[in-house]
Amino acid sequence: MNQLQITCPDDWHVHLRDGEMLRQVAPYTARQFARAIVMPNLQPPVTTVRQAVEYVDRIVAAVGDSPFEPLMTLYLTDDTSAEEIILAHKSCFVKAVKLYPAGATTNSSAGVSDIRKCDAALAAMQELGLPLLVHGEVTAAEVDVFDREAVFIQQVLMPLMNRFPKLKIVFEHITTADAVEFVLNTGLNIGATITPHHLLWNRNAMFKGGLRPHHYCLPVLKREQHRQALLYAATSGHRKFFLGTDSAPHNRSSKESGCGCAGIFSAHAAIEIYATIFEQQNALDKLEAFASFNGPDFYGLNRNTDIITLEKSPWVVPESYPLADGESLIPMLAGETINWKLIK
Ligand code: DOR
Ligand code: ZN
């Protein structure tokens, strides 16, 4: 098979940033995806509908005349009110609310200190059917960094589900067999996104021949057995699993630093990387469900009607993309070959 046509995909988890970085990266996402769920972890974070309106305008300006539709999220804090949730639901363009446990990742210091402080907001979300998107890691210093997701399931997610059994939850960028099993064993109100990097690499990739800052993300890459569980979930066609790149650009000097930022930029080639991975798994026939159907079905949105065409035509990813001020952006698989190419 040398050509593959699928319904136009969406990205259910992306960081588009702001300012110069937004203008540089948003066109890559708009080239491949009809819609994307845009993360709110700016500085300051997007905590109100008013801020989301302003941010959406900047995104639309950054993608020019592309028909790309940004789907916005609010950043949950200890103080998010039920009124703000009602406004978000009424707005029609805010599609979800993101939970960052305080201190879990990039720009999460304003995040939630204790999820029980958010009960009023969560009750409103459950009632209105507004999904909670979860960065699923505990932050306690004594918990091993590789165990943070598994511990989060036990300590936070299960009690949360017991208190709000009808709340729609997307377990974002899952990285473990524990998360796959958890999602498979819960009701249809629980879904999960899976990134290209967690499908392609295990934790050895961070240490291959030396320390590899461009393979550092959060949740951190895990053991091979966990990657295999993710491959199984993504290529199963199961409706609970869908595409979310977690493309998270940082400029080169912030990555290659004594305290490097977490995040992998994959928006330059995301659908092409997923296609390459699905082909390696002999599962190209399952790509469309994962990339184009399961996400909108979970969110209760229409599936896209346009078609994209991918061609088996290997190409080499640039070593870097230039940014202003002499900075650059190192993309996922820099200098390496990707087998599939998006042609229209
Ligand atoms: O690797 C990551 N980068 N994980 C996150 O959760 C946040 C993201 C970012 O914003 O840089
Ligand atoms: Zn993210």
Side-chain angles (χ1 to χ4, degrees), residues 13-15 17 39 41 98 100 105 135 172-173 195 218-219 245-248:
H13 183 134
V14 70
H15 299 266
R17 311 301 194 206
M39 289 298 132
N41 62 332
K98 179 74 190 276
Y100 288 104
T105 187
H135 183 109
E172 298 290 341
H173 42 53
T195 74
L218 286 171
T245 61
D246 199 16
S247 178

Side-chain angles (χ1 to χ4, degrees), residues 301-319:
L301 299 171
N302 291 333
R303 295 177 178 181
N304 297 316
T305 49
D306 287 357
I307 299 289
I308 61 161
T309 304
L310 291 150
E311 192 173 75
K312 191 143 181 201
S313 163
W315 61 286
V316 178
V317 177
E319 293 285 352

